[in-house]
Amino acid sequence: MNWSFTFKHWGGTLLLGTTILILVSGFKFLSPSEIWDTLTWFIIYLIFSVLYSIPTLVVYLLVLYLLIGRNIDSKWIKFILIFVTIAGITLTTSLIDSDLLENLSIYYSLSSVVTGIFLKFEKT
């Protein structure tokens, strides 16, 4: 299996999504205490993102395992994996009922698409 793409896509999606969330949420970098607060929130969001993304990662790995043995072009596998990630993000955020998470799926889905496009996928 292509572990490099899998974990780069997963980690990149979480890091970029959390970064977009922090930037859009209106955090400002004016004083050292505000920088510390922003960094603290970034770490908290990242930890929860990792925890909530584990079920999607399991499904992602299962789909990758099923697709890798078939005669499917790498571009289609990459597209399907990005779609699975977006579906997992949407399902996870819809299960969590909170006003804070209103646009969360948009940020993480966008980061999944961007990360997936820029990473190279090779069938092994």
Short mmCIF file of all heavy atoms in Angstrom, two decimals, residues 26-93:
data_model
loop_
_atom_site.label_atom_id
_atom_site.label_comp_id
_atom_site.label_asym_id
_atom_site.label_seq_id
_atom_site.Cartn_x
_atom_site.Cartn_y
_atom_site.Cartn_z
N GLY A 26 -10.25 34.52 13.26
CA GLY A 26 -9.98 35.89 13.70
C GLY A 26 -8.91 36.01 14.75
O GLY A 26 -8.83 37.03 15.44
N PHE A 27 -8.07 35.02 14.89
CA PHE A 27 -6.96 35.14 15.82
C PHE A 27 -5.98 36.17 15.29
O PHE A 27 -5.69 36.21 14.10
CB PHE A 27 -6.27 33.78 16.02
CG PHE A 27 -7.09 32.83 16.82
CD1 PHE A 27 -7.90 31.89 16.19
CD2 PHE A 27 -7.06 32.86 18.20
CE1 PHE A 27 -8.66 31.00 16.92
CE2 PHE A 27 -7.81 31.97 18.94
CZ PHE A 27 -8.61 31.05 18.31
N LYS A 28 -5.48 36.99 16.20
CA LYS A 28 -4.57 38.05 15.79
C LYS A 28 -3.21 37.84 16.45
O LYS A 28 -3.10 37.29 17.53
CB LYS A 28 -5.14 39.40 16.19
CG LYS A 28 -6.43 39.71 15.49
CD LYS A 28 -6.95 41.05 15.89
CE LYS A 28 -8.16 41.34 15.05
NZ LYS A 28 -9.39 41.34 15.71
N PHE A 29 -2.21 38.29 15.78
CA PHE A 29 -0.84 38.16 16.27
C PHE A 29 -0.31 39.55 16.63
O PHE A 29 0.50 40.11 15.91
CB PHE A 29 0.06 37.52 15.20
CG PHE A 29 -0.38 36.14 14.82
CD1 PHE A 29 -1.11 35.92 13.67
CD2 PHE A 29 -0.06 35.06 15.61
CE1 PHE A 29 -1.50 34.65 13.32
CE2 PHE A 29 -0.45 33.78 15.27
CZ PHE A 29 -1.17 33.58 14.12
N LEU A 30 -0.79 40.12 17.72
CA LEU A 30 -0.38 41.46 18.08
C LEU A 30 0.61 41.49 19.24
O LEU A 30 1.52 42.29 19.24
CB LEU A 30 -1.61 42.31 18.44
CG LEU A 30 -2.62 42.49 17.30
CD1 LEU A 30 -3.84 43.24 17.80
CD2 LEU A 30 -1.99 43.21 16.14
N SER A 31 0.42 40.66 20.20
CA SER A 31 1.30 40.66 21.36
C SER A 31 1.74 39.23 21.66
O SER A 31 1.12 38.27 21.19
CB SER A 31 0.58 41.26 22.57
OG SER A 31 -0.44 40.40 23.00
N PRO A 32 2.79 39.08 22.46
CA PRO A 32 3.24 37.72 22.80
C PRO A 32 2.17 36.86 23.46
O PRO A 32 2.10 35.67 23.22
CB PRO A 32 4.42 37.97 23.75
CG PRO A 32 4.93 39.31 23.37
CD PRO A 32 3.72 40.09 22.95
N SER A 33 1.32 37.46 24.29
CA SER A 33 0.28 36.66 24.94
C SER A 33 -0.75 36.18 23.92
O SER A 33 -1.27 35.06 24.04
CB SER A 33 -0.41 37.46 26.04
OG SER A 33 -1.12 38.55 25.50
N GLU A 34 -1.06 37.00 22.93
CA GLU A 34 -2.01 36.58 21.89
C GLU A 34 -1.40 35.49 21.00
O GLU A 34 -2.12 34.61 20.53
CB GLU A 34 -2.45 37.77 21.05
CG GLU A 34 -3.36 38.71 21.83
CD GLU A 34 -3.70 39.95 21.06
OE1 GLU A 34 -3.02 40.27 20.06
OE2 GLU A 34 -4.66 40.63 21.45
N ILE A 35 -0.10 35.57 20.76
CA ILE A 35 0.57 34.51 19.99
C ILE A 35 0.51 33.20 20.77
O ILE A 35 0.23 32.15 20.21
CB ILE A 35 2.03 34.91 19.67
CG1 ILE A 35 2.06 36.09 18.70
CG2 ILE A 35 2.81 33.73 19.11
CD1 ILE A 35 3.43 36.67 18.47
N TRP A 36 0.74 33.27 22.07
CA TRP A 36 0.68 32.08 22.90
C TRP A 36 -0.74 31.50 22.90
O TRP A 36 -0.92 30.28 22.80
CB TRP A 36 1.13 32.40 24.32
CG TRP A 36 1.04 31.22 25.22
CD1 TRP A 36 0.14 31.02 26.22
CD2 TRP A 36 1.84 30.04 25.18
NE1 TRP A 36 0.34 29.81 26.82
CE2 TRP A 36 1.38 29.18 26.20
CE3 TRP A 36 2.91 29.63 24.39
CZ2 TRP A 36 1.94 27.94 26.44
CZ3 TRP A 36 3.48 28.39 24.64
CH2 TRP A 36 2.99 27.57 25.65
N ASP A 37 -1.77 32.37 23.01
CA ASP A 37 -3.16 31.91 22.98
C ASP A 37 -3.49 31.24 21.65
O ASP A 37 -4.14 30.19 21.61
CB ASP A 37 -4.12 33.07 23.22
CG ASP A 37 -4.07 33.59 24.64
OD1 ASP A 37 -3.55 32.87 25.52
OD2 ASP A 37 -4.56 34.71 24.87
N THR A 38 -3.03 31.83 20.57
CA THR A 38 -3.28 31.27 19.25
C THR A 38 -2.61 29.92 19.10
O THR A 38 -3.20 28.97 18.58
CB THR A 38 -2.78 32.23 18.15
OG1 THR A 38 -3.44 33.49 18.32
CG2 THR A 38 -3.06 31.69 16.77
N LEU A 39 -1.38 29.80 19.55
CA LEU A 39 -0.66 28.53 19.48
C LEU A 39 -1.35 27.47 20.34
O LEU A 39 -1.47 26.31 19.93
CB LEU A 39 0.79 28.72 19.92
CG LEU A 39 1.69 27.49 19.84
CD1 LEU A 39 1.78 26.99 18.40
CD2 LEU A 39 3.08 27.81 20.36
N THR A 40 -1.83 27.86 21.49
CA THR A 40 -2.55 26.93 22.36
C THR A 40 -3.82 26.43 21.69
O THR A 40 -4.09 25.22 21.70
CB THR A 40 -2.90 27.61 23.70
OG1 THR A 40 -1.70 28.08 24.32
CG2 THR A 40 -3.62 26.65 24.64
N TRP A 41 -4.60 27.32 21.09
CA TRP A 41 -5.82 26.92 20.39
C TRP A 41 -5.49 26.05 19.19
O TRP A 41 -6.22 25.10 18.89
CB TRP A 41 -6.65 28.12 19.97
CG TRP A 41 -7.45 28.66 21.10
CD1 TRP A 41 -7.26 29.83 21.77
CD2 TRP A 41 -8.57 28.02 21.73
NE1 TRP A 41 -8.17 29.95 22.77
CE2 TRP A 41 -9.00 28.86 22.77
CE3 TRP A 41 -9.23 26.82 21.52
CZ2 TRP A 41 -10.07 28.53 23.59
CZ3 TRP A 41 -10.31 26.49 22.33
CH2 TRP A 41 -10.71 27.36 23.35
N PHE A 42 -4.41 26.37 18.50
CA PHE A 42 -3.99 25.56 17.35
C PHE A 42 -3.73 24.11 17.79
O PHE A 42 -4.19 23.17 17.15
CB PHE A 42 -2.74 26.16 16.69
CG PHE A 42 -2.25 25.38 15.51
CD1 PHE A 42 -2.79 25.58 14.25
CD2 PHE A 42 -1.23 24.44 15.65
CE1 PHE A 42 -2.35 24.86 13.16
CE2 PHE A 42 -0.77 23.72 14.56
CZ PHE A 42 -1.33 23.93 13.31
N ILE A 43 -3.01 23.95 18.88
CA ILE A 43 -2.68 22.62 19.38
C ILE A 43 -3.95 21.89 19.83
O ILE A 43 -4.13 20.70 19.55
CB ILE A 43 -1.63 22.70 20.51
CG1 ILE A 43 -0.29 23.17 19.92
CG2 ILE A 43 -1.48 21.37 21.22
CD1 ILE A 43 0.75 23.52 20.95
N ILE A 44 -4.84 22.60 20.51
CA ILE A 44 -6.10 21.98 20.96
C ILE A 44 -6.93 21.53 19.76
O ILE A 44 -7.42 20.39 19.72
CB ILE A 44 -6.91 22.96 21.85
CG1 ILE A 44 -6.19 23.14 23.18
CG2 ILE A 44 -8.34 22.47 22.05
CD1 ILE A 44 -6.74 24.26 24.04
N TYR A 45 -7.08 22.40 18.75
CA TYR A 45 -7.83 22.03 17.55
C TYR A 45 -7.17 20.85 16.83
O TYR A 45 -7.85 19.96 16.32
CB TYR A 45 -7.93 23.21 16.58
CG TYR A 45 -8.93 24.27 16.98
CD1 TYR A 45 -8.64 25.61 16.76
CD2 TYR A 45 -10.15 23.94 17.54
CE1 TYR A 45 -9.55 26.59 17.10
CE2 TYR A 45 -11.06 24.92 17.89
CZ TYR A 45 -10.76 26.24 17.66
OH TYR A 45 -11.66 27.21 18.00
N LEU A 46 -5.85 20.86 16.77
CA LEU A 46 -5.14 19.77 16.09
C LEU A 46 -5.33 18.44 16.80
O LEU A 46 -5.55 17.41 16.16
CB LEU A 46 -3.65 20.12 15.97
CG LEU A 46 -2.81 19.23 15.08
CD1 LEU A 46 -3.34 19.24 13.65
CD2 LEU A 46 -1.36 19.68 15.10
N ILE A 47 -5.27 18.45 18.12
CA ILE A 47 -5.48 17.21 18.89
C ILE A 47 -6.88 16.66 18.65
O ILE A 47 -7.06 15.46 18.38
CB ILE A 47 -5.23 17.45 20.40
CG1 ILE A 47 -3.73 17.67 20.65
CG2 ILE A 47 -5.76 16.29 21.24
CD1 ILE A 47 -3.40 18.15 22.04
N PHE A 48 -7.89 17.52 18.72
CA PHE A 48 -9.25 17.05 18.48
C PHE A 48 -9.45 16.63 17.03
O PHE A 48 -10.20 15.68 16.75
CB PHE A 48 -10.28 18.11 18.89
CG PHE A 48 -10.55 18.10 20.37
CD1 PHE A 48 -9.94 19.01 21.20
CD2 PHE A 48 -11.40 17.16 20.92
CE1 PHE A 48 -10.17 19.00 22.56
CE2 PHE A 48 -11.65 17.12 22.28
CZ PHE A 48 -11.03 18.05 23.11
N SER A 49 -8.78 17.29 16.11
CA SER A 49 -8.87 16.90 14.70
C SER A 49 -8.32 15.50 14.49
O SER A 49 -8.90 14.69 13.76
CB SER A 49 -8.10 17.88 13.82
OG SER A 49 -8.66 19.16 13.88
N VAL A 50 -7.20 15.22 15.12
CA VAL A 50 -6.60 13.88 15.00
C VAL A 50 -7.55 12.83 15.59
O VAL A 50 -7.80 11.79 14.97
CB VAL A 50 -5.22 13.83 15.70
CG1 VAL A 50 -4.73 12.40 15.85
CG2 VAL A 50 -4.21 14.66 14.94
N LEU A 51 -8.09 13.11 16.76
CA LEU A 51 -8.98 12.13 17.41
C LEU A 51 -10.24 11.89 16.59
O LEU A 51 -10.65 10.74 16.41
CB LEU A 51 -9.35 12.61 18.81
CG LEU A 51 -8.21 12.65 19.82
CD1 LEU A 51 -8.67 13.24 21.14
CD2 LEU A 51 -7.65 11.25 20.04
N TYR A 52 -10.85 12.95 16.10
CA TYR A 52 -12.09 12.80 15.34
C TYR A 52 -11.86 12.24 13.93
O TYR A 52 -12.79 11.77 13.29
CB TYR A 52 -12.84 14.12 15.24
CG TYR A 52 -13.56 14.49 16.52
CD1 TYR A 52 -13.27 15.67 17.18
CD2 TYR A 52 -14.52 13.66 17.05
CE1 TYR A 52 -13.92 16.02 18.35
CE2 TYR A 52 -15.18 13.98 18.23
CZ TYR A 52 -14.88 15.18 18.87
OH TYR A 52 -15.53 15.50 20.02
N SER A 53 -10.63 12.30 13.43
CA SER A 53 -10.38 11.83 12.08
C SER A 53 -9.99 10.35 12.01
O SER A 53 -9.88 9.80 10.92
CB SER A 53 -9.26 12.66 11.43
OG SER A 53 -8.02 12.40 12.04
N ILE A 54 -9.80 9.72 13.15
CA ILE A 54 -9.38 8.31 13.15
C ILE A 54 -10.39 7.40 12.45
O ILE A 54 -9.99 6.56 11.63
CB ILE A 54 -9.03 7.85 14.57
CG1 ILE A 54 -7.74 8.53 15.02
CG2 ILE A 54 -8.89 6.33 14.64
CD1 ILE A 54 -7.36 8.29 16.46
N PRO A 55 -11.71 7.52 12.69
CA PRO A 55 -12.64 6.66 11.93
C PRO A 55 -12.56 6.88 10.42
O PRO A 55 -12.61 5.91 9.65
CB PRO A 55 -14.02 7.06 12.47
CG PRO A 55 -13.75 7.62 13.82
CD PRO A 55 -12.42 8.28 13.71
N THR A 56 -12.41 8.11 10.00
CA THR A 56 -12.27 8.39 8.57
C THR A 56 -10.99 7.79 8.03
O THR A 56 -10.96 7.25 6.91
CB THR A 56 -12.31 9.91 8.31
OG1 THR A 56 -13.55 10.43 8.80
CG2 THR A 56 -12.17 10.23 6.84
N LEU A 57 -9.92 7.84 8.80
CA LEU A 57 -8.66 7.26 8.38
C LEU A 57 -8.79 5.75 8.20
O LEU A 57 -8.25 5.18 7.24
CB LEU A 57 -7.55 7.58 9.38
CG LEU A 57 -6.17 6.99 9.07
CD1 LEU A 57 -5.61 7.54 7.76
CD2 LEU A 57 -5.21 7.26 10.22
N VAL A 58 -9.52 5.09 9.09
CA VAL A 58 -9.72 3.65 8.97
C VAL A 58 -10.48 3.31 7.69
O VAL A 58 -10.09 2.41 6.94
CB VAL A 58 -10.46 3.10 10.22
CG1 VAL A 58 -10.88 1.65 10.02
CG2 VAL A 58 -9.57 3.23 11.46
N VAL A 59 -11.53 4.06 7.39
CA VAL A 59 -12.28 3.84 6.15
C VAL A 59 -11.41 4.14 4.94
O VAL A 59 -11.42 3.41 3.96
CB VAL A 59 -13.57 4.69 6.14
CG1 VAL A 59 -14.27 4.64 4.79
CG2 VAL A 59 -14.51 4.26 7.25
N TYR A 60 -10.64 5.20 5.02
CA TYR A 60 -9.71 5.61 3.96
C TYR A 60 -8.73 4.46 3.66
O TYR A 60 -8.51 4.11 2.49
CB TYR A 60 -8.97 6.85 4.45
CG TYR A 60 -8.00 7.49 3.50
CD1 TYR A 60 -8.35 8.63 2.80
CD2 TYR A 60 -6.70 7.01 3.34
CE1 TYR A 60 -7.45 9.28 1.95
CE2 TYR A 60 -5.80 7.63 2.51
CZ TYR A 60 -6.19 8.77 1.82
OH TYR A 60 -5.30 9.39 0.98
N LEU A 61 -8.16 3.89 4.70
CA LEU A 61 -7.21 2.78 4.52
C LEU A 61 -7.89 1.55 3.93
O LEU A 61 -7.30 0.85 3.10
CB LEU A 61 -6.53 2.44 5.85
CG LEU A 61 -5.56 3.48 6.38
CD1 LEU A 61 -5.12 3.13 7.80
CD2 LEU A 61 -4.36 3.63 5.47
N LEU A 62 -9.11 1.28 4.35
CA LEU A 62 -9.86 0.15 3.81
C LEU A 62 -10.14 0.36 2.31
O LEU A 62 -9.93 -0.55 1.51
CB LEU A 62 -11.17 -0.03 4.57
CG LEU A 62 -12.07 -1.16 4.08
CD1 LEU A 62 -11.40 -2.51 4.29
CD2 LEU A 62 -13.40 -1.11 4.80
N VAL A 63 -10.57 1.55 1.95
CA VAL A 63 -10.83 1.85 0.54
C VAL A 63 -9.54 1.76 -0.27
O VAL A 63 -9.52 1.20 -1.37
CB VAL A 63 -11.50 3.23 0.39
CG1 VAL A 63 -11.54 3.68 -1.06
CG2 VAL A 63 -12.90 3.21 0.99
N LEU A 64 -8.46 2.29 0.27
CA LEU A 64 -7.16 2.22 -0.42
C LEU A 64 -6.76 0.77 -0.63
O LEU A 64 -6.31 0.39 -1.72
CB LEU A 64 -6.09 2.96 0.37
CG LEU A 64 -4.67 2.92 -0.20
CD1 LEU A 64 -4.63 3.57 -1.58
CD2 LEU A 64 -3.71 3.60 0.74
N TYR A 65 -6.94 -0.05 0.38
CA TYR A 65 -6.59 -1.47 0.28
C TYR A 65 -7.42 -2.16 -0.82
O TYR A 65 -6.90 -2.97 -1.58
CB TYR A 65 -6.81 -2.16 1.63
CG TYR A 65 -6.53 -3.63 1.61
CD1 TYR A 65 -5.22 -4.11 1.58
CD2 TYR A 65 -7.58 -4.54 1.60
CE1 TYR A 65 -4.97 -5.48 1.55
CE2 TYR A 65 -7.33 -5.91 1.57
CZ TYR A 65 -6.03 -6.37 1.54
OH TYR A 65 -5.78 -7.71 1.50
N LEU A 66 -8.70 -1.83 -0.88
CA LEU A 66 -9.57 -2.43 -1.88
C LEU A 66 -9.24 -1.95 -3.30
O LEU A 66 -9.35 -2.72 -4.27
CB LEU A 66 -11.03 -2.14 -1.56
CG LEU A 66 -11.58 -2.79 -0.30
CD1 LEU A 66 -12.98 -2.28 0.00
CD2 LEU A 66 -11.56 -4.31 -0.41
N LEU A 67 -8.84 -0.70 -3.44
CA LEU A 67 -8.58 -0.13 -4.76
C LEU A 67 -7.19 -0.48 -5.30
O LEU A 67 -7.00 -0.56 -6.51
CB LEU A 67 -8.73 1.39 -4.73
CG LEU A 67 -10.13 1.94 -4.52
CD1 LEU A 67 -10.08 3.44 -4.38
CD2 LEU A 67 -11.03 1.53 -5.67
N ILE A 68 -6.23 -0.67 -4.42
CA ILE A 68 -4.85 -0.84 -4.86
C ILE A 68 -4.67 -2.13 -5.66
O ILE A 68 -3.84 -2.18 -6.56
CB ILE A 68 -3.89 -0.76 -3.65
CG1 ILE A 68 -2.59 -0.06 -4.03
CG2 ILE A 68 -3.54 -2.10 -3.09
CD1 ILE A 68 -2.67 1.36 -4.25
N GLY A 69 -5.45 -3.15 -5.38
CA GLY A 69 -5.30 -4.42 -6.09
C GLY A 69 -6.01 -4.45 -7.43
O GLY A 69 -5.82 -5.37 -8.21
N ARG A 70 -6.79 -3.46 -7.70
CA ARG A 70 -7.55 -3.43 -8.95
C ARG A 70 -6.78 -2.68 -10.02
O ARG A 70 -5.83 -1.97 -9.76
CB ARG A 70 -8.90 -2.76 -8.72
CG ARG A 70 -9.65 -3.36 -7.54
CD ARG A 70 -11.12 -3.37 -7.81
NE ARG A 70 -11.90 -3.73 -6.64
CZ ARG A 70 -12.15 -4.95 -6.25
NH1 ARG A 70 -11.64 -5.97 -6.89
NH2 ARG A 70 -12.89 -5.20 -5.19
N ASN A 71 -7.21 -2.85 -11.25
CA ASN A 71 -6.56 -2.20 -12.38
C ASN A 71 -7.22 -0.83 -12.61
O ASN A 71 -7.92 -0.61 -13.58
CB ASN A 71 -6.67 -3.08 -13.63
CG ASN A 71 -5.81 -2.57 -14.75
OD1 ASN A 71 -4.89 -1.79 -14.52
ND2 ASN A 71 -6.11 -3.00 -15.95
N ILE A 72 -6.98 0.08 -11.68
CA ILE A 72 -7.55 1.43 -11.74
C ILE A 72 -6.39 2.42 -11.83
O ILE A 72 -5.38 2.28 -11.14
CB ILE A 72 -8.41 1.72 -10.50
CG1 ILE A 72 -9.56 0.71 -10.40
CG2 ILE A 72 -8.98 3.13 -10.55
CD1 ILE A 72 -10.38 0.82 -9.14
N ASP A 73 -6.57 3.43 -12.65
CA ASP A 73 -5.55 4.47 -12.81
C ASP A 73 -5.30 5.18 -11.48
O ASP A 73 -6.23 5.41 -10.69
CB ASP A 73 -6.02 5.46 -13.88
CG ASP A 73 -4.94 6.46 -14.24
OD1 ASP A 73 -3.75 6.10 -14.29
OD2 ASP A 73 -5.30 7.63 -14.48
N SER A 74 -4.06 5.57 -11.26
CA SER A 74 -3.68 6.23 -10.00
C SER A 74 -4.45 7.53 -9.79
O SER A 74 -4.77 7.89 -8.65
CB SER A 74 -2.19 6.53 -10.01
OG SER A 74 -1.45 5.35 -10.02
N LYS A 75 -4.76 8.25 -10.86
CA LYS A 75 -5.50 9.50 -10.72
C LYS A 75 -6.90 9.26 -10.18
O LYS A 75 -7.41 10.04 -9.37
CB LYS A 75 -5.58 10.22 -12.07
CG LYS A 75 -4.26 10.74 -12.53
CD LYS A 75 -4.37 11.41 -13.88
CE LYS A 75 -2.99 11.81 -14.37
NZ LYS A 75 -3.02 12.44 -15.67
N TRP A 76 -7.53 8.16 -10.60
CA TRP A 76 -8.87 7.84 -10.10
C TRP A 76 -8.82 7.40 -8.65
O TRP A 76 -9.71 7.73 -7.87
CB TRP A 76 -9.53 6.78 -10.98
CG TRP A 76 -10.07 7.37 -12.24
CD1 TRP A 76 -9.53 7.25 -13.48
CD2 TRP A 76 -11.21 8.20 -12.37
NE1 TRP A 76 -10.28 7.95 -14.40
CE2 TRP A 76 -11.33 8.55 -13.73
CE3 TRP A 76 -12.16 8.69 -11.47
CZ2 TRP A 76 -12.35 9.36 -14.20
CZ3 TRP A 76 -13.17 9.49 -11.95
CH2 TRP A 76 -13.26 9.82 -13.30
N ILE A 77 -7.80 6.66 -8.29
CA ILE A 77 -7.66 6.25 -6.89
C ILE A 77 -7.48 7.49 -6.01
O ILE A 77 -8.10 7.61 -4.96
CB ILE A 77 -6.48 5.26 -6.72
CG1 ILE A 77 -6.80 3.95 -7.42
CG2 ILE A 77 -6.19 5.02 -5.23
CD1 ILE A 77 -5.66 2.95 -7.40
N LYS A 78 -6.66 8.40 -6.47
CA LYS A 78 -6.43 9.64 -5.73
C LYS A 78 -7.74 10.42 -5.58
O LYS A 78 -8.06 10.92 -4.49
CB LYS A 78 -5.38 10.46 -6.49
CG LYS A 78 -4.83 11.63 -5.77
CD LYS A 78 -3.68 12.18 -6.62
CE LYS A 78 -3.21 13.50 -6.15
NZ LYS A 78 -2.10 14.02 -6.94
N PHE A 79 -8.51 10.53 -6.65
CA PHE A 79 -9.80 11.22 -6.61
C PHE A 79 -10.76 10.54 -5.64
O PHE A 79 -11.42 11.22 -4.84
CB PHE A 79 -10.41 11.26 -8.03
CG PHE A 79 -11.80 11.81 -8.06
CD1 PHE A 79 -12.02 13.17 -7.96
CD2 PHE A 79 -12.89 10.95 -8.18
CE1 PHE A 79 -13.31 13.68 -7.99
CE2 PHE A 79 -14.18 11.45 -8.21
CZ PHE A 79 -14.39 12.82 -8.12
N ILE A 80 -10.82 9.23 -5.67
CA ILE A 80 -11.71 8.48 -4.78
C ILE A 80 -11.29 8.68 -3.32
O ILE A 80 -12.14 8.87 -2.44
CB ILE A 80 -11.74 6.99 -5.15
CG1 ILE A 80 -12.42 6.81 -6.51
CG2 ILE A 80 -12.42 6.15 -4.08
CD1 ILE A 80 -12.26 5.43 -7.11
N LEU A 81 -9.99 8.67 -3.06
CA LEU A 81 -9.51 8.87 -1.69
C LEU A 81 -9.83 10.27 -1.17
O LEU A 81 -10.18 10.44 0.00
CB LEU A 81 -8.02 8.57 -1.60
CG LEU A 81 -7.63 7.11 -1.82
CD1 LEU A 81 -6.12 6.96 -1.83
CD2 LEU A 81 -8.25 6.22 -0.76
N ILE A 82 -9.69 11.27 -2.03
CA ILE A 82 -10.06 12.63 -1.64
C ILE A 82 -11.56 12.70 -1.35
O ILE A 82 -11.99 13.32 -0.37
CB ILE A 82 -9.63 13.65 -2.72
CG1 ILE A 82 -8.11 13.74 -2.79
CG2 ILE A 82 -10.23 15.03 -2.44
CD1 ILE A 82 -7.58 14.53 -3.98
N PHE A 83 -12.36 12.05 -2.19
CA PHE A 83 -13.81 12.02 -1.98
C PHE A 83 -14.16 11.33 -0.66
O PHE A 83 -15.03 11.80 0.09
CB PHE A 83 -14.51 11.33 -3.15
CG PHE A 83 -15.99 11.24 -2.97
CD1 PHE A 83 -16.78 12.35 -3.20
CD2 PHE A 83 -16.58 10.05 -2.56
CE1 PHE A 83 -18.16 12.27 -3.02
CE2 PHE A 83 -17.95 9.97 -2.38
CZ PHE A 83 -18.74 11.09 -2.61
N VAL A 84 -13.50 10.22 -0.36
CA VAL A 84 -13.74 9.50 0.90
C VAL A 84 -13.39 10.41 2.08
O VAL A 84 -14.11 10.45 3.08
CB VAL A 84 -12.92 8.19 0.96
CG1 VAL A 84 -12.87 7.61 2.36
CG2 VAL A 84 -13.48 7.18 -0.02
N THR A 85 -12.31 11.15 1.96
CA THR A 85 -11.91 12.07 3.03
C THR A 85 -12.96 13.16 3.23
O THR A 85 -13.34 13.45 4.37
CB THR A 85 -10.54 12.71 2.71
OG1 THR A 85 -9.59 11.68 2.50
CG2 THR A 85 -10.09 13.61 3.83
N ILE A 86 -13.44 13.74 2.15
CA ILE A 86 -14.45 14.79 2.26
C ILE A 86 -15.74 14.23 2.85
O ILE A 86 -16.38 14.87 3.69
CB ILE A 86 -14.69 15.45 0.89
CG1 ILE A 86 -13.44 16.23 0.47
CG2 ILE A 86 -15.91 16.37 0.92
CD1 ILE A 86 -13.48 16.75 -0.95
N ALA A 87 -16.13 13.03 2.43
CA ALA A 87 -17.33 12.40 2.98
C ALA A 87 -17.16 12.14 4.48
O ALA A 87 -18.08 12.38 5.27
CB ALA A 87 -17.63 11.10 2.24
N GLY A 88 -15.98 11.69 4.88
CA GLY A 88 -15.72 11.45 6.30
C GLY A 88 -15.73 12.73 7.11
O GLY A 88 -16.26 12.76 8.23
N ILE A 89 -15.16 13.78 6.55
CA ILE A 89 -15.16 15.08 7.24
C ILE A 89 -16.59 15.57 7.41
O ILE A 89 -16.98 16.02 8.50
CB ILE A 89 -14.32 16.10 6.44
CG1 ILE A 89 -12.84 15.75 6.51
CG2 ILE A 89 -14.56 17.52 6.96
CD1 ILE A 89 -11.98 16.50 5.51
N THR A 90 -17.37 15.48 6.35
CA THR A 90 -18.76 15.96 6.40
C THR A 90 -19.58 15.15 7.40
O THR A 90 -20.34 15.71 8.20
CB THR A 90 -19.40 15.88 5.00
OG1 THR A 90 -18.58 16.62 4.09
CG2 THR A 90 -20.79 16.45 5.00
N LEU A 91 -19.42 13.84 7.37
CA LEU A 91 -20.16 12.99 8.30
C LEU A 91 -19.75 13.26 9.75
O LEU A 91 -20.60 13.39 10.63
CB LEU A 91 -19.94 11.51 7.96
CG LEU A 91 -20.66 10.51 8.84
CD1 LEU A 91 -22.17 10.68 8.73
CD2 LEU A 91 -20.26 9.10 8.46
N THR A 92 -18.47 13.37 9.99
CA THR A 92 -17.98 13.61 11.34
C THR A 92 -18.47 14.94 11.89
O THR A 92 -18.94 15.02 13.02
CB THR A 92 -16.44 13.56 11.38
OG1 THR A 92 -16.01 12.29 10.90
CG2 THR A 92 -15.92 13.78 12.78
N THR A 93 -18.37 16.00 11.09
CA THR A 93 -18.81 17.30 11.58
C THR A 93 -20.33 17.39 11.71
O THR A 93 -20.82 18.13 12.55
CB THR A 93 -18.31 18.44 10.67
OG1 THR A 93 -18.71 18.20 9.32
CG2 THR A 93 -16.81 18.58 10.76
#
